[in-house]
Every structure is written in structure tokens, then in C-alpha cells.
Amino acid sequence: MLIYGFQSILSWVQLALGVYAAVMLIDAATRREDAYRAASKQTKGMWLVFLVIATALLFLLPLMSFLPIIGVIAVIVYTVDVRPALKQVAGGRGPRRGGSSSDGPYGPYNGGR
């Protein structure tokens, strides 16, 4: 009974990783080709191939085999290295620079004082 519970949890983890890989694949497909070159990363086509293979491996093979783990590593590399660089090149919203969460369009809100 314990083994079946572990397999059930592992199958949910594998499904979640597969869905996340598919989301990262869509994210990579929607980025511009020149952003990859400007960020000094590999080409868009290469990352699409990596992520398509990783997504397919996560949906087709059991997680405890060798190939899906390589796919997970490819998705992690895209998530923590390539995606932030593409966002920075594309001028995406980064962390706020200075100011407060109560700042309005004309300066800080002072409560009507």
C-alpha cells in the first residue's frame, strides 16, 4: 500500500513538471529571436528543441529514469538563466527601484496632510 501511495505522489509530481515544462516551452516560443542573440544565449530554435524534447520526455517516460531528469535540468536552466536574461533585454518589469508601495503617480501618498 505504501508503494502505491509513493507512485501516486510521484505521478503527480511528474505531471506538474510536465505542465511546467510546457509553460516554459510556450514562454520560449513567444520570445523574439533577436532577444536570444542580444542576451548572448543560444538561438531560439535550439531552446525550443530542448524544451520540446524535455516536455515530451516528462510526459512519456517515468520520472525515475535518466532522460526525464535531463529534461528537468534543461527546463531549470531555461527558467533560472535564459528567461531572466531575455526579460532584461526585452525591458520587462524588474524589481522596483526606490520608492515605496504607497507612492502614487505624483509622489508619496501622505494621508491628506
Side-chain angles (χ1 to χ4, degrees):
M1 174 133 171
L2 188 61
I3 292 174
Y4 295 123
F6 179 71
Q7 288 176 347
S8 176
I9 291 171
L10 202 58
S11 65
W12 282 106
V13 168
Q14 183 171 359
L15 179 64
L17 286 172
V19 169
Y20 185 71
V23 169
M24 289 298 107
L25 173 63
I26 293 168
D27 181 72
T30 58
R31 303 283 178 180
R32 295 185 349 219
E33 170 68 34
D34 60 341
Y36 287 87
R37 289 189 305 262
S40 297
K41 301 300 174 188
Q42 298 294 327
T43 64
K44 179 179 182 176
M46 190 186 94
W47 277 108
L48 288 177
V49 167
F50 284 163
L51 293 173
V52 164
I53 292 172
T55 303
L57 289 173
L58 282 166
F59 280 119
L60 296 177
L61 296 176
L63 187 61
M64 295 308 288
S65 62
F66 185 67
L67 292 175
I69 293 173
I70 293 174
V72 168
I73 292 170
V75 172
I76 290 171
V77 168
Y78 178 80
T79 302
V80 300
D81 183 38
V82 177
R83 188 170 183 240
L86 294 176
K87 281 185 175 183
Q88 185 178 15
V89 166
R93 288 184 52 140
R96 290 181 58 117
R97 302 211 191 328
S100 166
S101 64
S102 64
D103 283 354
Y106 306 108
Y109 177 72
N110 60 8
R113 291 183 251 157

